[in-house]
Amino acid sequence: MAMTSSQVLYPYHLSPAMSEAHAAVSASGLCAVSVLCCLTLACSYVGSLYVWKSELSRDHPAVIKRRFTSVLVVSCLSPLFLWVWKELTGFKTEAAILSLMGFRLDGMFTATLLPLLLTMILFLGPLVQLSLDCPWGFLDGLKVAFDPRFWMLCFTDMRWLRNQVIAPLTEELVFRACMLPMLVPCTSPGTAIFTCPLFFGIAHFHHVIEQLRFRQGTVLSIFLSAAFQFSYTAVFGAYTAFIFIRTGHFIGPVLCHSFCNYIGFPAIFTALDHPQRATIVFFYVLGVVLFFLLLYPMTDPILYGDIPICSLLDKRSTDHCSLCL
């Protein structure tokens, strides 16, 4: 991958010794610019949440509305970071910036359906648990789902709108669609999948500030909660990064993010104390097994058209062969 970067930044003929030296310099320079752009973008996103001075908690509707404005502005400006990265590095690619960010029509139907279905399979246990505890019947649930008044209530609920729409949309745009194209050329798709979520996980540490400020627990419990949240969000971020790179679409990670926000972290201990524990545990295990069996087949790039990320890879590399052929 280093040679690929050097070929982009130093296209002139050099002796073998000079070529290796320039390759090392250009590769390190490319990665330095990529990491700096990603770090600046992450700080801009989190920093935008605190431009408003308020004594209210983060769940107050007034605070949520103000933060909507901030993160939407940063999200709209985030493609500029990708453009600046291209200008600073001189990286040449045949794909348009919006295409690199996953905004394209080719393979849209499968990109909308299959990643979400795969995520629902992973959460099969929690879904069965919810259905067993739900007081509604199946037909009652369908009536509610198709009732416009239900959706009107949802879209006027600021917390619901934040968790199910704005957060998934803006976080996937900033932390996946913009960062991954910058990280892939200096590392590899596999490394980028596990590097990108670190920015995402660290960005969630800002919740510690408000929890300490409003004394929502002891210092130890707050930091333990933050450490757990960092681990969970990092794993989840790696998953949506995997979906983004394998499908080349923005829509799949957004829908998976929204779904996971709705379900939350699986209530494993509650499941173990449930009256129908055996049934629930069976579906927990079945969901995990099916998820790993279907992970690669349901995200096979052949189902999603030409993957834009392929234009960032050396056509002779194993990454290009495994992802793009």
Side-chain angles (χ1 to χ4, degrees), residues 39 46 197-206 230 233:
L39 186 60
V46 176
L198 298 180
F199 296 99
F200 183 58
I202 292 172
H204 282 72
F205 264 106
H206 75 92
F230 169 78
T233 53

Side-chain angles (χ1 to χ4, degrees), residues 293-315:
L293 288 175
L294 297 172
L295 179 60
Y296 277 88
M298 290 184 70
T299 60
D300 191 331
I302 199 172
L303 300 171
Y304 304 96
D306 294 330
I307 307 298
I309 212 82
C310 291
S311 66
L312 304 175
L313 301 172
D314 185 347
K315 293 183 179 180

Side-chain angles (χ1 to χ4, degrees), residues 25-39:
V25 172
S26 60
S28 61
L30 176 65
C31 287
V33 173
S34 299
V35 171
L36 181 61
C37 286
C38 289
L39 186 60

Side-chain angles (χ1 to χ4, degrees), residues 108-140:
M108 174 67 79
F109 177 76
T110 51
T112 303
L113 177 65
L114 294 185
L116 180 59
L117 180 59
L118 180 65
T119 308
M120 293 176 72
I121 290 172
L122 175 62
F123 283 84
L124 186 60
L127 288 173
V128 169
Q129 187 175 347
L130 282 174
S131 66
L132 291 175
D133 294 337
C134 184
W136 298 341
F138 179 73
L139 292 179
D140 293 329

Side-chain angles (χ1 to χ4, degrees), residues 107-124 127 151 164 168 236 239-240 242-244 247 249-263 287 291 294-295 298-299 304:
M108 174 67 79
F109 177 76
T110 51
T112 303
L113 177 65
L114 294 185
L116 180 59
L117 180 59
L118 180 65
T119 308
M120 293 176 72
I121 290 172
L122 175 62
F123 283 84
L124 186 60
L127 288 173
W151 293 106
Q164 308 308 134
F236 169 77
Y239 172 60
T240 55
F242 176 86
I243 294 294
F244 179 85
T247 67
H249 276 276
F250 174 65
I251 185 65
V254 171
L255 293 177
C256 293
H257 193 148
S258 180
F259 174 78
C260 289
N261 278 0
Y262 173 75
I263 295 295
F291 171 79
L294 297 172
L295 179 60
M298 290 184 70
T299 60
Y304 304 96

